[in-house]
Amino acid sequence: MKLFITSLALYFSVINLALAQQIWSPNKTFSLEFSLLEDGSPTYKLSYLNKTVIETSRLGLELKDDKKSLLNDFVVSEYSEATFNEVWAPVWGEEKEIRNHYNELAVNLKQQETNREMIVRFRLFNDGLGFRYEFPAQDNLVYFVIKEERTQFAMTGDHTAFWIPGDFDTQEYDYTKSKLSEIRGLSEAAVTANLSQTSFGDTGVQTSLIMKTDEGLYINLHEAALINYSCMHLNLDDENMIFESFLTPDANGDKGYMQAPCNTPWRTIIVSENATDILASRMTLNLNDPCAIEDISWIKPVKYIGVWWEMITGKSTWSYTNDLPAVQLGKTDYSKVTPNGTHAANNEKVKRYIDFASDHGFDGVLVEGWNQGWEDWFGHSKDYVFDFMTPYPDFDVQEIHNYAKLKGVEMIMHHETSSSVRNYERHLDDAYQFMKDNGYNAVKSGYVGDILPRGENHYNQWMVNHYQYALEKAADYEIMVNAHEAVRPTGLCRTYPNLIGNESARGTEYQAFGGSKANHVTVLPFTRLLGGPMDYTPGIFEMDMSKLSPNNTSHVNSTIANQLALYVTMYSPLQMAADLPEHYEMFLDAFQFIKDVAIDWEESVYLEAEPGDYITIARKEKGSNNWFVGNVNGYDSRTSKITLDFLDKDKKYEAIIYADAKDAHYKTNPQAYSIKTKKVTYKSKLSLVSASGGGYAISIKEIK
Ligand code: NOJ
Ligand code: CA
């Protein structure tokens, strides 16, 4: 009997082989094989350096209320191959030019019984694979509802993964490092701990997911160009080590409403034996369309401070009064209520922040809690909390606008939607116009709480379309967007570079809400950041939260040197110096790095990296000869050895090195750092010890 099964398997593999079609990446490191199984199910297989990375995996979609899903019964009607090779210039980014080079295989499939057509388009790059489903215009497939996408990613073993649990409403988790086989159980526990609203399965994880095989290969699974579709999670069959797509449902449990011609986002697999190559991958951006905005002159990187951390830590409040348990927007006369004395967004304080920004060369000032409604803004599913235009009595929009203009500082608007999405959409034109009328060119939006309409959640198609609507409308008004709690980015900033930031992961705020893992920032660049920049809000110098707010027992799990390094390691064209001005005034020598560091880059060099342990990156400022280096370190103290061979051979430089002091430690001694100045050339070698949860930052300037 055993013999029979073996020969049967052999028979099938011969059949498969006969139908298989293979392409190679431009540098021949990857090969992709497409084949149909006996029953006409499409499959793919990915190899790297002649070793299988993704075992034969099924492709297809299950349709709702349809006599036949798009899973099997296919024949290939045509294979077409193409090559693409171009260099494009991002509006802002980690380098001034990006190469987009791939070989493409488009497989036109015809379903025999229904005569339906579906194309699977593969793009094989030198750093991995992207593929998507396309549904051409046709008579037999016009409107359809997706019950589930059934794309598989069959792993070759029990890899080590850094993952966050499958959740439809939040990504703000610490990463868990475990074997794939250990995800079961841990996933559910993590969701419960985070008090999430909706999640699925106890083996469900979110993308972007980074894994490492026992042989030392790094694999990242994610998606690119998420437009008019639900965000993809992954469900693991942990007996067979097969991930399968699990789309975010809508209020009815449906996964996607489609009308041909249309397509899915790209499913992406980035692979390398070098962790640094994963950080250097531009595949996600390359799979997005070129810039759709014609005049980009108004889109600019922004370094900013904000009236923010003091509310996050509990030192002050967004709200104006404690008197009213339930304020009614438009009905409450705020001039008659008693102020609570802790409302931070008042004229006097905001002017102090503007002065500080102007004195230290920051581009912008964010102010939260400027508008009415914060007394009862979430938890009660109130539809109408904010109108995004009515300030509290102590915040004079015009006066602040004039003052900021005088000081050469841009104001950044805050729109907390409280997830009342239709309310936001109803106000959007007026709110954006109000911004323009008052000199605001950038908005931080937010989606805290349960989505209204009820039953929708943060990452389904309906919400994905909302974020896109708000972004495109912002472009019409020449407004830059930084959306918090929105769906995780998938490289859309290439097409819409006014999307200068997103949160969409666990940001610095959690350091004030109980703390994050000290190695969190050594994982984010391998996961969340592959889709686009994060408004991580670094730059905290006072780590003891009780010093800001006596009842806050939280501790920022990071050293000051680590905080400085984040401006280099966490790439973003939008960088905040998040701590209070008075804390920077206590450490002006370290603060100098935040003032100096660039936010737009000509070139980036990924020097060393290991997820969970360390990342060291060097970047050259756009339009100058200045370089900045950042190293963030995980839990184990470590000596980082780097050579500055990225510097120009014929130039001399001066380096200012901001490092952990010998006795620094993220928990016990986070504020201990040293600053040393040194002459360097391209031959210089540095050996620097980073503390547990520490790191270093270096600014390197040319000297004549
Ligand atoms: C959560 C955001 O991440 C945070 O930055 C913001 O201050 C609050 N929501 C209030 O909108
Ligand atoms: Ca948040």
Side-chain angles (χ1 to χ4, degrees):
M1 183 60 185
K2 199 165 179 204
L3 193 73
F4 171 74
I5 292 174
T6 319
S7 56
L8 200 68
L10 202 71
Y11 169 77
F12 279 133
S13 66
V14 170
I15 295 279
N16 289 344
L17 209 64
L19 292 171
Q21 184 80 4
Q22 196 181 32
I23 56 165
W24 293 84
S25 59
N27 67 0
K28 304 268 186 293
T29 49
F30 286 95
S31 70
L32 174 276
E33 210 176 280
F34 173 87
S35 60
L36 285 176
L37 298 181
E38 266 289 274
D39 66 350
S41 303
T43 72
Y44 73 101
K45 181 179 158 180
L46 181 68
S47 303
Y48 176 69
L49 300 172
N50 293 321
K51 286 188 84 176
T52 305
V53 186
I54 306 288
E55 295 279 8
T56 302
S57 300
R58 285 171 182 270
L59 297 162
L61 298 105
E62 191 178 338
L63 305 188
K64 188 188 173 192
D65 300 333
D66 205 294
K67 56 184 185 316
K68 196 155 175 92
S69 286
L70 297 167
L71 291 167
N72 52 30
D73 192 29
F74 286 107
V75 290
V76 175
S77 53
E78 191 187 349
Y79 288 116
S80 43
E81 293 188 26
T83 294
F84 189 81
N85 190 359
E86 67 157 18
V87 171
W88 58 281
V91 176
W92 40 259
E94 294 182 72
E95 63 252 300
K96 69 170 196 284
E97 286 182 337
I98 293 176
R99 180 164 294 279
N100 184 7
H101 191 191
Y102 59 82
N103 289 332
E104 180 174 286
L105 169 68
V107 185
N108 287 52
L109 296 165
K110 182 152 259 168
Q111 196 170 39
Q112 297 178 92
E113 186 189 323
T114 60
N115 229 5
R116 286 172 172 171
E117 283 176 62
M118 177 171 86
I119 299 169
V120 186
R121 189 176 301 277
F122 297 96
R123 288 187 178 163
L124 197 51
F125 299 77
N126 291 336
D127 42 354
L129 173 69
F131 62 91
R132 72 178 183 190
Y133 304 92
E134 297 175 358
F135 311 96
Q138 55 195 292
D139 292 342
N140 294 341
L141 188 69
V142 183
Y143 301 103
F144 57 106
V145 181
I146 297 172
K147 189 168 174 201
E148 192 56 273
E149 183 184 318
R150 300 264 176 223
T151 302
Q152 295 190 339
F153 306 84
M155 300 294 107
T156 56
D158 190 9
H159 308 329
T160 298
F162 291 83
W163 54 272
I164 54 175
D167 192 312
F168 306 138
D169 284 293
T170 182
Q171 304 139 125
E172 299 183 355
Y173 289 101
D174 260 323
Y175 287 90
T176 298
K177 178 185 179 184
S178 82
K179 288 284 192 186
L180 294 178
S181 56
E182 293 168 325
I183 291 176
R184 183 178 295 278
L186 288 176
S187 175
E188 290 271 280
V191 171
T192 315
N194 216 45
L195 297 176
S196 143
Q197 299 134 22
T198 39
S199 64
F200 72 99
D202 60 357
T203 54
V205 296
Q206 302 192 32
T207 74
S208 137
L209 175 73
I210 186 76
M211 289 172 281
K212 188 178 183 181
T213 70
D214 287 346
E215 291 78 39
L217 207 61
Y218 300 87
I219 305 171
N220 178 283
L221 303 181
H222 191 35
E223 61 181 311
L226 171 57
I227 291 186
N228 195 11
Y229 202 78
S230 292
C231 174
M232 178 183 74
H233 293 61
L234 297 172
N235 206 6
L236 180 69
D237 163 358
D238 54 0
E239 270 176 26
N240 300 301
M241 296 300 155
I242 299 174
F243 281 111
E244 189 170 281
S245 50
F246 191 99
L247 302 181
T248 313
D250 67 10
N252 296 324
D254 298 329
K255 304 291 180 99
Y257 281 77
M258 310 292 280
Q259 182 183 350
C262 57
N263 53 260
T264 69
W266 297 92
R267 278 63 189 92
T268 60
I269 307 165
I270 303 172
V271 182
S272 180
E273 74 265 43
N274 298 314
T276 48
D277 291 347
I278 305 283
L279 303 179
S281 172
R282 302 290 174 255
M283 213 179 83
T284 316
L285 290 176
N286 280 331
L287 286 166
N288 278 270
D289 284 342
C291 182
I293 301 172
E294 229 166 82
D295 172 13
I296 43 132
S297 57
W298 50 277
I299 302 174
K300 297 209 163 59
V302 179
K303 202 188 283 182
Y304 75 105
I305 59 167
V307 181
W308 177 70
W309 187 239
E310 51 185 284
M311 287 90 90
I312 290 288
T313 53
K315 179 180 163 68
S316 49
T317 59
W318 284 271
S319 59
Y320 177 76
T321 178
N322 298 337
D323 267 7
L324 302 162
V327 176
Q328 294 288 310
L329 190 69
K331 294 187 184 149
T332 300
D333 182 353
Y334 276 91
S335 65
K336 300 222 169 80
V337 303
T338 316
N340 56 18
T342 52
H343 179 232
N346 59 70
N347 293 330
E348 199 191 330
K349 181 169 287 181
V350 172
K351 284 184 185 170
R352 280 215 303 276
Y353 272 81
I354 293 172
D355 289 343
F356 186 83
S358 162
D359 290 349
H360 294 282
F362 286 84
D363 306 299
V365 174
L366 164 79
V367 180
E368 295 198 7
W370 67 278
N371 57 330
Q372 295 184 16
W374 286 91
E375 283 72 22
D376 180 33
W377 67 286
F378 90 103
H380 298 131
S381 286
K382 274 170 69 178
D383 181 47
Y384 190 25
V385 177
F386 300 112
D387 68 4
F388 316 99
M389 277 175 293
T390 312
Y392 280 128
D394 55 352
F395 184 86
D396 187 325
V397 178
Q398 198 55 48
E399 191 182 325
I400 294 297
H401 169 45
N402 293 342
Y403 192 77
K405 207 167 165 195
L406 192 74
K407 295 277 180 163
V409 171
E410 299 272 349
M411 296 306 294
I412 302 174
M413 176 53 78
H414 185 227
H415 288 169
E416 174 52 67
T417 68
S418 68
S419 288
S420 184
V421 178
R422 287 291 297 121
N423 177 55
Y424 191 40
E425 289 182 351
R426 277 193 296 270
H427 286 93
L428 207 48
D429 274 295
D430 290 344
Y432 283 161
Q433 190 55 53
F434 178 83
M435 283 178 59
K436 296 310 280 189
D437 293 345
N438 292 290
Y440 289 77
N441 296 321
V443 64
K444 169 181 173 180
S445 55
Y447 295 84
V448 171
D450 292 350
I451 300 287
L452 277 175
R454 291 177 187 83
E456 303 297 341
N457 51 57
H458 280 72
Y459 314 137
N460 65 24
Q461 185 183 22
W462 193 82
M463 280 305 291
V464 164
N465 290 349
H466 164 77
Y467 304 127
Q468 190 64 25
Y469 173 74
L471 178 64
E472 289 185 33
K473 193 172 267 297
D476 294 343
Y477 284 86
E478 303 196 339
I479 286 172
M480 299 184 282
V481 175
N482 163 26
H484 278 223
E485 293 87 40
V487 71
R488 47 195 170 272
T490 55
L492 284 173
C493 58
R494 177 182 179 188
T495 316
Y496 303 96
N498 63 319
L499 183 59
I500 52 170
N502 270 117
E503 185 192 45
S504 307
R506 190 179 179 94
T508 298
E509 61 183 1
Y510 279 82
Q511 297 279 24
F513 303 161
S516 293
K517 288 185 179 168
N519 67 349
H520 186 54
V521 292
T522 67
V523 182
L524 285 172
F526 287 98
T527 54
R528 162 66 185 78
L529 264 59
L530 290 178
M534 177 169 178
D535 184 31
Y536 184 72
T537 68
I540 304 303
F541 282 10
E542 177 51 70
M543 312 302 178
D544 177 356
M545 296 296 96
S546 70
K547 292 219 170 114
L548 290 92
S549 174
N551 294 329
N552 189 339
T553 54
S554 195
H555 177 90
V556 177
N557 293 321
S558 166
T559 67
I560 285 184
N562 175 282
Q563 289 292 309
L564 298 182
L566 294 171
Y567 291 88
V568 183
T569 58
M570 297 277 287
Y571 166 67
S572 176
L574 178 77
Q575 288 285 14
M576 185 179 202
D579 210 336
L580 307 184
E582 52 264 42
H583 294 153
Y584 292 133
E585 273 153 4
M586 286 160 68
F587 300 98
L588 279 174
D589 56 353
F591 184 53
Q592 190 62 41
F593 182 82
I594 301 181
K595 291 168 65 170
D596 291 344
V597 69
I599 45 174
D600 201 12
W601 308 101
E602 192 150 317
E603 188 187 341
S604 293
V605 185
Y606 302 86
L607 298 171
E608 47 172 14
E610 181 62 37
D613 291 339
Y614 54 87
I615 292 175
T616 312
I617 301 174
R619 302 191 199 266
K620 185 178 186 214
E621 182 174 18
K622 207 182 250 178
S624 92
N625 287 322
N626 298 340
W627 283 81
F628 296 86
V629 182
N631 161 276
V632 285
N633 192 40
Y635 283 97
D636 295 332
S637 170
R638 173 178 177 270
T639 303
S640 164
K641 293 187 175 156
I642 59 167
T643 307
L644 306 185
D645 53 5
F646 46 82
L647 296 176
D648 277 358
K649 293 195 171 50
D650 57 353
K651 293 193 170 73
K652 290 194 186 105
Y653 301 85
E654 183 178 80
I656 308 174
I657 305 171
Y658 304 77
D660 289 321
K662 278 201 175 62
D663 53 351
H665 186 278
Y666 77 88
K667 200 71 168 181
T668 53
N669 200 12
Q671 291 175 317
Y673 60 86
S674 72
I675 301 178
K676 288 192 183 107
T677 302
K678 188 171 173 166
K679 300 241 170 354
V680 295
T681 69
Y682 78 101
K683 285 188 182 154
S684 301
K685 291 180 191 309
L686 299 179
S687 175
L688 296 161
V689 181
S690 293
S692 176
Y696 60 82
I698 312 176
S699 67
I700 305 175
K701 294 202 172 135
E702 188 189 352
I703 39 176
K704 303 276 176 188

